[in-house]
Amino acid sequence: MKHTGSITRGAFVVLLLALCAACGTRPVYEDEEFKKDAPYQRSYATGEQEACDAAQRALLSQGYRIDEAKDTNIHAHKEFQPEEELNAVLDFHVICKTSSKGATVFVNAIETRYKLKKVSGGASVSVAGGGISLPWSKSADSLVKVSSTTVTEKKFYKQFFDLVGTLIDK
């Protein structure tokens, strides 16, 4: 009987763990949709190098700092401070590929937010003999990452692609 009881307890533990796992959050990829009309690409009647050059000039004209620029690959970022204790960074990734229409520019922007967090600590110094004790506190500020998400707004990408289109001919 004791052996059967331990198998039952083991099965109960496995069942309990399975139920706990089922209560967790759903994986993000379950909401992912692969659509043909995604806002992350646009084709231009030009070569891939010319398209990427125009994309780089578009980013520079809007205050982005180019972190890496290869022939058909660009990584840039721009920093924002929308609130006093909140900083945000917009990372921009551009890849240009040859297509049947000339070149297709693929873009992905990621917004990462950081919040200012105050960390405090204390310390004290004592002199031997018990005469003097000098306590002091120390605080430091640090930015803590609170979110990171892909920008999905079609208007945002349309504005970028429209600007790239005007710069291709120049």
Side-chain angles (χ1 to χ4, degrees):
M1 288 298 263
K2 288 183 181 180
H3 184 66
T4 306
S6 65
I7 292 175
T8 305
R9 265 188 242 126
F12 176 75
V13 169
V14 169
L15 178 62
L16 185 61
L17 289 173
L19 286 173
C20 288
C23 294
T25 60
R26 289 184 14 211
V28 173
Y29 66 82
E30 287 183 3
D31 293 329
E32 182 68 89
E33 297 178 14
F34 289 91
K35 296 180 180 180
K36 186 178 180 177
D37 65 340
Y40 309 107
Q41 67 180 17
R42 186 177 290 178
S43 294
Y44 299 96
T46 189
E48 64 183 16
Q49 181 62 50
E50 293 84 8
C52 256
D53 184 54
Q56 184 175 359
R57 285 185 282 132
L59 291 168
L60 288 168
S61 75
Q62 300 305 304
Y64 283 82
R65 186 169 72 198
I66 305 298
D67 298 317
E68 181 180 356
K70 295 183 179 174
D71 292 342
T72 59
N73 189 355
I74 302 166
H75 177 241
H77 80 277
K78 186 175 181 180
E79 298 178 16
F80 302 86
Q81 189 171 3
E83 298 172 17
E84 186 175 326
E85 294 189 1
L86 181 68
N87 288 17
V89 177
L90 198 54
D91 283 299
F92 226 89
H93 302 273
V94 180
I95 296 177
C96 304
K97 294 294 212 180
T98 301
S99 68
S100 61
K101 297 178 182 179
T104 301
V105 177
F106 298 90
V107 177
N108 175 277
I110 298 173
E111 180 182 328
T112 305
R113 290 181 173 254
Y114 300 89
K115 192 144 188 132
L116 188 64
K117 182 173 178 152
K118 296 184 185 292
V119 180
S120 60
S124 65
V125 173
S126 297
V127 176
I132 302 174
S133 177
L134 300 170
W136 72 83
S137 64
K138 172 182 143 182
S139 79
D141 296 337
S142 62
L143 289 173
V144 177
K145 184 177 179 178
V146 293
S147 70
S148 185
T149 186
T150 299
V151 176
T152 58
E153 295 171 24
K154 289 182 180 185
K155 179 182 177 186
F156 174 81
Y157 293 105
K158 181 184 180 320
Q159 291 172 335
F160 170 76
F161 286 128
D162 289 350
L163 180 56
V164 169
T166 63
L167 295 173
I168 283 179
D169 297 331
K170 294 182 179 182

